Amino acid sequence: MNSTTHAKQGKKSAQLPITGFEIDRHTAIVIVDPQNDFLSPDGVAWGAVGQSVMENNTINNIETLFRLGSENGIHVFVSPHYYYKHDHGWQFEGTLEKLMHNINMFDREDQLNLDGFEGSGADWLNQYKPYILNTDKVTICSPHKVFGPENNDLVLQLRKQKIDKVILGGMSGNLCVESHMRELLECGFEVAVVGDATASAKLPHLDGDQAAQTNYAMMASEVYSTNELEEILEARQILAEE
C-alpha cells in the first residue's frame, strides 16, 4: 500500500466529508518543479527524495499527467523553481531555503541567460520535454522562489484561461506542492491532488511524504492516484463519444 492509498483510507476511517471534484472545461493540471534536481538520480536532492520518488513511481506518474492533459484537452501549467545569482545574496533563509542554496539547487545564471541550462539540475527531466515544449498545450509560468506560487504568475495565468479547478502534482510533496495547494485554495480554486505524482524527502524521524499525503487528504477536494485519474478521464471520454 503506497502512502496515497494509506492517507485516503485514513480519511475514510476518520469519516471526513466527501466534497467531490468534477473535471470540466475549467479544469487545468498544474505540475510543480518537474526538474532534474528533484527527479534525476544525478540531481542534488535525490539522496533525500529518491526513496519516495521510487516508492510512489513519481517520475512515470508525472509523465502520465502530461500525457493525460494532452490526450484530454486539459491545459497543463508548469510552476518551476529557479535560483539566480542575486538570490544567493539573500540575508536570511529558512531551513530548506538555506539547504537549497548551499547545494546550488535549481541554479541558473540569470533570467535572460540559458547558458548551461540544458541538462542542468534546473532543466526538465528529458522524458517530459516533448510535452513541455508543446507550448500550445503547456504554459510555463515564471519561477516561484520559496515554496508557494505567491511570487510567480501561476494564479494570473490560470485566471486568464478562466480556470477555477486545478489537478495538482509534482515536487516536492510536503514543500512546494503542498504550498501550491494551500495558496490555490486560499485564492478560491477547487484543488485535487494526484498523491502518487508527488514525492517528498524522507529523512531520519522526518517523513515528508507521510506529512504531505495526510494534508492532501485533509485539505484538497479530492486525492487521486494516477490510475484513478486515468480511469476517470477515460470514462469521461467514452461518455462524450456516446
Side-chain angles (χ1 to χ4, degrees), residues 86-93 98:
H86 58 255
D87 296 320
H88 286 272
W90 293 354
Q91 296 189 28
F92 67 93
E93 300 153 324
K98 188 171 185 64

Side-chain angles (χ1 to χ4, degrees), residues 103-189:
I103 62 178
N104 297 314
M105 195 168 181
F106 302 130
D107 272 3
R108 283 180 50 185
E109 286 296 312
D110 60 56
Q111 300 97 312
L112 305 179
N113 190 341
L114 287 175
D115 290 348
F117 177 74
E118 182 75 24
S120 71
D123 195 7
W124 322 115
L125 209 66
N126 274 332
Q127 68 195 70
Y128 305 154
K129 288 183 179 181
Y131 299 101
I132 293 176
L133 298 179
N134 184 351
T135 55
D136 290 337
K137 296 183 178 180
V138 175
T139 295
I140 302 171
C141 299
S142 59
H144 59 276
K145 286 296 178 177
V146 184
F147 303 120
E150 292 86 343
N151 292 308
N152 75 351
D153 66 345
L154 173 63
V155 170
L156 172 68
Q157 297 296 343
L158 291 169
R159 295 294 192 200
K160 289 294 188 180
Q161 296 295 334
K162 297 188 176 181
I163 298 299
D164 56 29
K165 298 179 182 180
V166 166
I167 299 168
L168 186 61
M171 293 294 291
S172 72
N174 66 314
L175 299 174
C176 297
V177 176
E178 183 174 326
S179 294
H180 278 65
M181 175 187 70
R182 289 173 180 269
E183 177 63 12
L184 291 169
L185 288 171
E186 295 284 356
C187 288
F189 292 89

Side-chain angles (χ1 to χ4, degrees), residues 67-84:
R67 176 177 60 78
L68 291 175
S70 178
E71 291 176 351
N72 291 275
I74 301 173
H75 201 90
V76 178
F77 295 76
V78 175
S79 180
H81 207 149
Y82 301 134
Y83 286 129
Y84 308 123

